[in-house]
Structures are given as C-alpha cells and as structure tokens.
Amino acid sequence: MSQFDVDLFVIGAGSGGVRAARIAASYGAKVMIAEEYRVGGTCVIRGCVPKKLMVYASRFSLEFEEAAGFGWDVGDATFDWATLIRNKDKEIDRLEGIYRTNLERSGVTVVDSRAVIEDPHTVHVLKTGERIRARYILVAVGAHPTLEPVIPGGELGITSNEVFHLKEQPKRIMIVGGGYIAVEFAGVFAGLGSEVTLLHRGDKLLRGFDDDVRDALGASYAQRGINLALGRTAQRLDRTPDGIAATLSDGSVVTVDQVLVATGRRPNTKGLGLEKVGITVDEVGAIPVDSYSQTLIPSIYAVGDVTNRANLTPIAIREGHAFADTVFGDRPTIVDHDLIPTAVFSTPEIGVIGCSEAAAWARYGDIDVYKTAFRPMKATLSGAHERMLMKLIVDKATGRVVGVHIVGHDAGEMIQLAGVAVTMGATKADFDRTVAVHPTASEELVTMRTPAVVKRPVAVG
Ligand SMILES: Cc1cc2nc3c(=O)[nH]c(=O)nc-3n(C[C@H](O)[C@H](O)[C@H](O)COP(=O)(O)OP(=O)(O)OC[C@H]3O[C@@H](n4cnc5c(N)ncnc54)[C@H](O)[C@@H]3O)c2cc1C
C-alpha cells in the first residue's frame, strides 16, 4: 500500500486550485481539495464575477440618459439595490454549485474545511482533525483585502469582501485607493447614483498604467462628477450622527455613509504552517516559487495570488494547469508572465496589453507612438461627453507592436483580440494591412498612420 492517502492535496478551491485539481485528476491522480469558505474562490464568490455584474448594473443609468438622443423616453428610471444583490447572490450560488459538481465529476474529493500544512507530506484538515498524507501539496489559498494603512477609526471602513453584501446602497461613499478595484467600484457606485469620493495618495489613478490612460480615466471620472481627492490620505475616521467623517491629510473632512478601503491585498499565508516546513514568505507574505511554481520544499508547490506574481484569475488558472501538467502529466510547463492582456472595468473601460509608453522607452530604447482620442459615433446623437483613447506603442527596431492601450466602451473585449495579434508578434505593418471593420471604434486600431510627436524621456538613451 502507498505511504500516501492521496497523490495531491490542494489547499484552496479558487481559480488556481480548482484548475490544478481537475487537471491532475484527469491524469489519473487521486486528488483531495480543501476549501474553508466557498468553492470558486475570490473570483467567483467576491471578485471578478459579482463585480462585473455590478458594473453591468451601474451602466444602465448612462444608457437611459443617452437613449433620449435616439428618440427614447424611458421615463423616471429607478434602481433597487436589494434586487441587484439578491439576483447577484443567486447567480453566485449557481456558479458555486457548478464548480463543486465539476470537481466531483472529475473525481476530486472536496473537503469543506480549513487545512494547514503539518510537514512536507501532511495536511491537517481542521474540521475533522484528520491528517492526510499527500505525495504533493499545492498551496492555492489566494489573498485577502486589508484595511491598510492602519488609522484611528480605520475599522469603520469595509473592504471589497463586504461591499458585495451591503444591506443598503450608500448614498455617499468614499473609496480609498487608486488601483483597479478602487476605480472599478468608484464607477459602479457613481453609475448607481451614489455620491462618490475617490481618495488616493498618488496624483493620478492606476499606477503602472500608461500616463495617457491614467489621464483619460481621471478626466472622465471628474467629468462624471466623481470627487477625485488625489494626493491626499485619510488620517482618521469618526462615527458621527451624520455618518462616517473622514479627516484627510489636508485637514478637510468628508462625511459619507460608507468607506470602502481598496488599498491592497495580502497573501493568505498566516497560520498556514509554512514555518513548520521551513518556507519563508517574502515581505508581503507571498510564497517564493520557481518558474514551475515549486517552493524550496520539493513536494510543495504554490500557485495564484498567494505567490503574488500577476494577481489575476486567468494567471492563477494557467499556473494551476501548468503545475498539473508538470507534476502529473509529464509535460514540464512554464507560464509566461510577460504579455498579459488585461481589463479594468471602470466606466469608461480600459484594455491593455504590453508596455506603457514610459516602460517601452526604457525597454526598447527607441519607439514610435500612435494615438488617437475621439468622440465615439454613439455619442454624436446621445450627447454624451465620452471620449475614446487608442494608443499603439511600436518598437522601432523590429516594427513590432509592444503595447496597446484602449480606453472606452468595450475596451476589455477589444484587448482580448488585439492580445492575440500582439502575442503572435504582430508588427505595425500587420496592423496596417488588416482591413478596417466599419463603422466601429476598434477600426482606429488599424487606421492610425502617423506617429505622434513624443518626447524621449531624459533618462533614456
Ligand atoms: C474585487 C475583486 C475583483 C477582481 N476582479 C478581477 C477581474 O476582473 N479579472 C481578474 O482576472 N481578476 C480579478 N480579481 C483577482 C482574482 O479574483 C484573483 O486573482 C484570483 O481569484 C486568484 O485565484 P487564486 O486561486 O490564487 O485564489 P482565490 O481565488 O482567492 O482562492 C483561494 C481560496 O482558498 C481558500 N483558502 C484560503 N486559505 C485556506 C485554507 N487554509 N484552507 C482551505 N481553504 C483556504 C479561500 O477561501 C479561497 O476560496 C479580482 C479580485 C477582487 C478582490
């Protein structure tokens, strides 16, 4: 008899863990997976999916406004928060059921419990007290939102975990943070009619994104009436008869009904037993792994947000799949983290693949930049102030398109397809010889002919 109860024990049934478990089982491995909260993980239960449903909900208000220019009279539209939350919860329950069924159908044993590591081959299932001996352990425990930085009264704030379950829609909300989750929820609440203050310590939103994209989003949010409190931080929060009073670093006080803190996430490595096997986490609590997701303990691997490489669902899924191919499929597979198409579901939406202009100067030395900003056709009759931005960054030496940046309606959908071309190594000439689809916004991607006059940063070359 084998000295192991299972070939693979996966801790965490989120994006990475579920994929790894199913693929490993398909190779004939005996697999057990433990989940302490809900099967599906952050993405399905309290991340991408419920967020996108709320984004859809929030965009109807703009559609209703814009419909008038096309002859529609939609009357006085009203919004009911409770209906949205109820319907969203129903859909999440349905998806959770599908995830569980798919695991079970694949032959994976699902354990509803927290699990911790005891030694390189043993996992302790806390609910039952069982100790499971596993040939391999995969840590796929994800990350959690924090209420950082810690300030007096900070506990009055909520995180993205709670925002999906608020009993009432806040009439006034302050969102703290300038990353993608913060700007997405700012767009959601503004669209649903809340008064939104977006508080961010930097002078622009979305650090790391192309500056033109950052400027376009900032301008659009200001135009939509979102109160952009940039270059400031919250010093304290106090409960008052009128709500929560946030004292900012410039001395001003903003009173709101909810404060949503979206300043960052930390890997779920506390109390996981890593110290028992000699795995030391990095300064943010992430597990260091090699390009095969293997930790320094040969029988223990880690994938997804817990490794803090690229914290996105498709990446966790790929890492989980590659792990199973490598360990159980006899196909060593490395995930390329270099070219990742991604979307920000702000309104206006953002789609990006490859380098920002600043990063491209540093990486390629000499580049051409093509960009256009225009009023989309729909806005002509609707009267919307909306503008779209499209930008291509081209490596001059090879002619390859090394960055695509889109701000505007359906940018997320467009960037998936532009991503195929860029991943294949398409050149600007390939974009040019692609026939335009007319009339669309995306045709601008293949019709930009003249490089913009851009200034090479002083520090480069
Ligand atoms: C608000 C929000 C919006 C997002 N939107 C997007 C988006 O639009 N697109 C995108 O690509 N990504 C998005 N993400 C990121 C995405 O959700 C994560 O990158 C992805 O879920 C990571 O997958 P994972 O498998 O690493 O971890 P998770 O999906 O977080 O799964 C980890 C699981 O492990 C469980 N767990 C933890 N510790 C234990 C333990 N000791 N024992 C048992 N179980 C345990 C947790 O309960 C959890 O279910 C969003 C995230 C948030 C918070």
Side-chain angles (χ1 to χ4, degrees), residues 333-369:
T333 307
I334 288 176
V335 174
D336 181 2
H337 292 92
D338 191 32
L339 265 183
I340 300 174
T342 186
V344 178
F345 296 100
S346 46
T347 304
E349 200 163 292
I350 294 169
V352 174
I353 182 166
C355 291
S356 66
E357 185 179 329
W361 280 117
R363 181 161 173 181
Y364 297 99
D366 206 1
I367 58 169
D368 274 331
V369 175

Side-chain angles (χ1 to χ4, degrees), residues 27 41 85 109 111 116 127 181 204 210 212 239 247 343 356-357 383 385 399 408 415 422 451:
Y27 287 127
I85 298 300
T109 306
V111 185
V116 296
K127 202 164 176 183
I181 294 176
K204 287 182 191 188
D210 187 273
D212 283 324
R239 169 82 61 200
T247 306
S356 66
E357 185 179 329
H385 292 281
I415 208 65
V422 174

Side-chain angles (χ1 to χ4, degrees), residues 10-18 20 35 138-142 301-304 306:
V10 181
I11 309 180
S15 306
V18 167
E35 171 53 54
L138 178 67
V139 182
V141 294
Y301 286 67
V303 295
V306 74

Side-chain angles (χ1 to χ4, degrees), residues 238-452:
D238 292 287
R239 169 82 61 200
T240 71
D242 188 29
I244 301 171
T247 306
L248 307 190
S249 47
D250 62 0
S252 62
V253 176
V254 182
T255 300
V256 292
D257 304 303
Q258 288 288 352
V259 175
L260 169 61
V261 180
T263 47
R265 294 174 59 79
R266 296 250 180 233
N268 287 326
T269 43
K270 257 203 185 134
L272 198 60
L274 294 168
E275 62 296 337
K276 286 192 193 157
V277 291
I279 294 176
T280 310
V281 297
D282 71 10
E283 63 287 352
V284 296
I287 298 179
V289 289
D290 67 11
S291 47
Y292 292 100
S293 298
Q294 191 174 30
T295 69
L296 54 76
I297 305 299
S299 58
I300 303 182
Y301 286 67
V303 295
D305 285 8
V306 74
T307 61
N308 195 30
R309 286 175 281 183
N311 300 328
L312 293 166
T313 287
I315 299 300
I317 290 174
R318 279 194 169 223
E319 289 168 358
H321 200 127
F323 153 80
D325 282 347
T326 301
V327 175
F328 296 101
D330 203 18
R331 270 196 292 155
T333 307
I334 288 176
V335 174
D336 181 2
H337 292 92
D338 191 32
L339 265 183
I340 300 174
T342 186
V344 178
F345 296 100
S346 46
T347 304
E349 200 163 292
I350 294 169
V352 174
I353 182 166
C355 291
S356 66
E357 185 179 329
W361 280 117
R363 181 161 173 181
Y364 297 99
D366 206 1
I367 58 169
D368 274 331
V369 175
Y370 295 80
K371 59 180 169 181
T372 176
F374 57 96
R375 197 172 185 213
M377 192 183 196
K378 193 175 169 197
T380 54
L381 294 204
S382 73
H385 292 281
E386 187 188 343
R387 307 229 355 124
M388 288 201 77
L389 169 76
M390 304 224 171
K391 183 167 176 179
L392 299 181
I393 317 276
V394 178
D395 171 23
K396 255 193 175 162
T398 61
R400 277 183 55 185
V401 176
V402 294
V404 180
H405 306 268
I406 306 171
V407 180
H409 191 65
D410 275 345
E413 304 292 339
M414 284 184 235
I415 208 65
Q416 181 69 82
L417 299 180
V420 176
V422 174
T423 304
M424 289 175 74
T427 60
K428 178 66 169 63
D430 292 323
F431 273 61
D432 291 344
R433 69 192 174 88
T434 303
V435 176
V437 177
H438 185 73
T440 63
S442 53
E443 66 183 302
E444 297 288 332
L445 284 175
V446 297
T447 53
M448 287 186 271
R449 292 286 179 261
T450 316

Side-chain angles (χ1 to χ4, degrees), residues 174 197-201 227-236 246-254:
M174 172 178 283
T197 299
L198 185 51
L199 175 70
H200 175 47
R201 63 181 176 183
N227 172 24
L228 292 179
L230 301 177
R232 275 166 279 175
T233 56
Q235 300 295 291
R236 58 178 301 121
T247 306
L248 307 190
S249 47
D250 62 0
S252 62
V253 176
V254 182

Side-chain angles (χ1 to χ4, degrees), residues 9-19 33-52 111-117 123-124 126 139-145 159-161 163-164 180-182 184-185 265 268-272 303-307 310-317 319 341-345:
F9 195 109
V10 181
I11 309 180
S15 306
V18 167
R19 175 59 68 95
I33 190 166
E35 171 53 54
E36 69 175 352
Y37 182 54
R38 293 180 65 181
V39 172
T42 302
C43 176
V44 177
I45 307 295
R46 45 194 181 185
C48 334
V49 175
K51 174 210 59 197
K52 186 84 188 276
V111 185
D112 292 291
S113 168
R114 180 171 174 78
V116 296
I117 296 170
V123 175
H124 182 192
L126 298 191
V139 182
V141 294
H144 62 277
T159 70
S160 60
N161 279 354
V163 78
F164 294 116
Y180 82 92
I181 294 176
E184 287 176 341
F185 278 111
R265 294 174 59 79
N268 287 326
T269 43
K270 257 203 185 134
L272 198 60
V303 295
D305 285 8
V306 74
T307 61
N311 300 328
L312 293 166
T313 287
I315 299 300
I317 290 174
E319 289 168 358
T342 186
V344 178
F345 296 100

